[in-house]
């Protein structure tokens, strides 16, 4: 009978371990990604690579001393030339007028000053001074420029210039915040913390470890908790006009545990951190009946390629390595079955009920 030879072939095939294959867009099989054994050296290299990448992003975003606000196209300027209300249409009294009337007029002028809109070319039209290019200038620089122009026609002009409405620069914040939407950049530096506060703060479902900053074609991943642990003030992360900030939800930062574990499930990361040991523990551990401790896999999809890591949980120090190996969102943890469990399942598929019938027959008196 050829049945024992069939059993031996199945057992030999199962003992070789699982095989990972991938396909291209046309459906053709591609070479399987190489399996990387989880060792102390690999864990150290992963940590160093993560730190280098995080530090590069931080250096580009941190601005300890933000520059003052620069006027842009679309802003509305409030300009007052004291003792010359005819230039702005305001009601500013002369210096020899009644003090009470002077104070009242000044209050009215401050409450509703005449506005000058900066056009698409960054210019304003002002009486006597003509066209002035103020785009890119601070309030002080624009005031000095206007004063210099008016000095040709007025003796010692006293000019007040400020931005009445900030409309030229904006950032957009989306995701797990109370009030997502556009936020105008004004004279208060628009840091990441300032933008989140203006949006009403983070929701309880927000993942503080996964805040994405999109600036043009560049994407930055920001971990607020990691910044605090490094003694870096998150208020130094400066936003630029046109930035898009997305605060991800914790439900998006999941790790999937399947295979021969007691309770396969999807696990939510704890503020961006979950180790392989924690994932196995929260899933009840490796099944003592069918799990192969030699074949604990982590499958990770990266923009460049798919990576497969393997841990042999039987070797000395494997528990410490599993605790030090940090998972990433969307990782898949898979525990393979033992060769005996695979043989039993394949046999049951070929001959349904045959194994249980044989066991029952053997137990009969």
């Amino acid at each position: 009978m050829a049945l024992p030879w069939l059993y031996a072939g199945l057992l030999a095939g199962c003992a070789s371990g699982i095989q990972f294959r991938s396909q291209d867009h046309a459906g053709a099989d591609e070479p399987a990604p190489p399996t990387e054994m989880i060792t102390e050296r690999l864990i150290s290299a992963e940590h160093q690579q993560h730190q280098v990448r995080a530090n590069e992003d931080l250096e580009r975003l941190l601005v300890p001393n933000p520059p003052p606000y620069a006027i842009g196209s679309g802003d509305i300027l409030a300009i007052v030339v004291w003792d010359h209300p005819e230039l702005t249409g305001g009601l500013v009294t002369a210096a020899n007028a009644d003090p009470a009337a002077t104070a009242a007029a000044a209050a009215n002028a401050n409450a509703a000053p005449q506005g000058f809109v900066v056009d698409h070319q960054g210019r304003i039209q002002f009486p006597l001074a003509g066209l002035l290019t103020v785009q890119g200038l601070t309030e002080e620089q624009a005031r000095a420029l206007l004063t210099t122009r008016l000095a040709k026609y007025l003796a010692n002009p006293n000019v007040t210039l400020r931005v009445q409405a900030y409309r030229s620069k904006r950032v957009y914040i989306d995701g797990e915040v109370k009030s997502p939407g556009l936020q105008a950049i004004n004279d208060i530096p628009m840091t990441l913390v300032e933008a989140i506060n203006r949006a009403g703060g983070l929701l309880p479902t927000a993942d503080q470890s996964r805040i994405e900053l999109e600036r043009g074609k560049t994407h930055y991943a920001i971990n607020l908790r990691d910044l605090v642990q490094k003694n870096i003030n998150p208020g130094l992360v400066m936003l630029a006009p046109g930035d898009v900030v997305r605060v991800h939800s914790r439900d998006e930062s999941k790790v999937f545990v399947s295979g021969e574990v007691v309770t396969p499930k999807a696990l939510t990361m704890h503020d961006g951190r979950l180790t392989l040991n924690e994932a196995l523990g929260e899933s009840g551990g490796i099944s003592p009946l069918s799990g192969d401790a030699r074949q604990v896999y982590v499958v990770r999809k990266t923009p460049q390629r798919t990576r497969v890591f393997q841990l042999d949980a039987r070797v000395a120090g494997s528990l410490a390595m599993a605790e030090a190996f940090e998972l990433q969102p969307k990782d898949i943890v898979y525990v393979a079955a033992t060769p005996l469990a695979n043989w039993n399942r394949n046999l049951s598929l070929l001959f349904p009920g045959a194994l249980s019938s044989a066991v029952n027959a053997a137990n009969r008196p």
Side-chain angles (χ1 to χ4, degrees), residues 252-318:
E252 300 177 21
S253 305
K254 286 188 175 181
V255 170
F256 306 94
V257 184
S258 61
E260 304 306 315
V261 292
V262 175
T263 309
K265 61 174 62 175
L267 301 175
T268 302
M269 304 186 75
H270 311 303
D271 292 323
R273 187 181 186 276
L274 186 70
T275 66
L276 177 57
N277 188 45
E278 292 172 338
L280 292 174
E282 294 186 23
S283 302
I286 301 174
S287 173
L289 299 178
S290 58
D292 188 352
R294 301 170 301 176
Q295 300 187 73
V296 179
Y297 297 94
V298 176
V299 182
R300 176 176 300 164
K301 180 67 175 179
T302 66
Q304 295 79 20
R305 59 189 175 92
T306 299
R307 303 182 66 183
V308 179
F309 305 94
Q310 180 180 355
L311 175 70
D312 186 349
R314 302 182 310 166
V315 302
S318 60

Side-chain angles (χ1 to χ4, degrees), residues 111-302:
Q114 181 68 37
F116 293 85
V117 180
V118 182
D119 65 15
H120 66 284
Q121 294 182 336
R123 305 174 304 178
I124 61 171
Q125 177 78 34
F126 196 83
L128 299 181
L131 285 174
L132 291 176
T133 301
V134 296
Q135 183 171 358
L137 302 180
T138 65
E139 291 181 344
E140 181 62 27
Q141 291 171 339
R143 186 197 66 80
L145 175 61
L146 180 57
T147 301
T148 302
R149 289 286 187 91
L150 292 178
K152 299 178 181 179
Y153 309 97
L154 304 176
N156 300 322
N158 186 7
V159 179
T160 299
L161 184 149
R162 62 183 179 86
V163 180
Q164 176 177 279
Y166 298 89
R167 306 192 306 177
S168 63
K169 304 176 181 67
R170 297 181 180 181
V171 298
Y172 184 81
I173 183 165
D174 192 15
E176 300 303 303
V177 293
K178 293 183 179 179
S179 302
L182 288 171
Q183 300 292 336
I185 299 178
N186 55 22
D187 56 329
I188 301 176
M190 181 61 79
T191 64
L192 177 62
V193 176
E194 179 69 18
I196 293 176
N197 288 338
R198 293 189 191 181
L202 298 175
L203 294 175
T205 55
D207 187 352
Q208 298 186 28
S209 66
R210 293 191 65 207
I211 298 179
E212 182 181 358
L213 172 60
E214 180 180 345
R215 181 172 297 173
K217 297 183 179 180
T218 306
H219 295 257
Y220 301 94
I222 301 175
N223 187 332
L224 286 183
R225 292 190 175 273
D226 190 40
L227 293 181
V228 174
Q229 291 177 356
K230 294 179 179 179
N231 295 323
I232 298 176
N233 183 5
L236 298 180
V237 179
M238 189 63 56
L239 302 184
D243 282 355
V244 178
V245 178
R246 291 187 177 91
V247 181
H248 290 274
S249 171
R250 291 182 179 178
D251 291 337
E252 300 177 21
S253 305
K254 286 188 175 181
V255 170
F256 306 94
V257 184
S258 61
E260 304 306 315
V261 292
V262 175
T263 309
K265 61 174 62 175
L267 301 175
T268 302
M269 304 186 75
H270 311 303
D271 292 323
R273 187 181 186 276
L274 186 70
T275 66
L276 177 57
N277 188 45
E278 292 172 338
L280 292 174
E282 294 186 23
S283 302
I286 301 174
S287 173
L289 299 178
S290 58
D292 188 352
R294 301 170 301 176
Q295 300 187 73
V296 179
Y297 297 94
V298 176
V299 182
R300 176 176 300 164
K301 180 67 175 179
T302 66

